[in-house]
Amino acid sequence: MPALNVEFSDRELEDLRQIAKERGTSMKALVREAAAADIARHRALQEGAEAFRRFFASHADEFAAAFPDDEPAHASEGRVA
């Protein structure tokens, strides 16, 4: 399995040791669990953002009608040729 060397300050390393001890796990397991949780959170945010973009695109006309002040001005408006 591929590995990654990560450097920590002395304070961070001591904090990791203490947390791992309190949780009854190894430092390696603690760091891997934190990284895996962050990866899962990142994926969920990406999926949520994509779902929102699809929803917004499919209801763009409804949003435009409901919030006309939030619609961008056309590129040609307000410009002098």
Side-chain angles (χ1 to χ4, degrees):
M1 175 181 274
L4 173 68
N5 291 326
V6 180
E7 295 180 12
F8 296 98
S9 69
D10 290 340
R11 175 63 192 261
E12 291 168 333
L13 201 54
E14 185 55 37
D15 289 345
L16 285 172
R17 280 191 189 102
Q18 184 62 34
I19 294 167
K21 182 179 178 182
E22 289 171 7
R23 294 185 184 179
T25 190
S26 69
M27 288 175 46
K28 184 177 179 178
L30 179 69
V31 172
R32 185 171 189 312
E33 180 182 309
D38 196 52
I39 290 167
R41 185 172 35 257
H42 180 76
R43 286 179 181 159
L45 287 172
Q46 286 181 317
E47 291 171 7
E50 183 55 34
F52 174 78
R53 283 190 287 272
R54 283 192 310 269
F55 177 82
F56 187 82
S58 67
H59 297 280
D61 292 337
E62 295 166 63
F63 280 108
F67 306 102
D69 293 341
D70 293 336
E71 285 299 297
H74 294 312
S76 61
E77 289 182 6
R79 291 191 179 169
V80 178

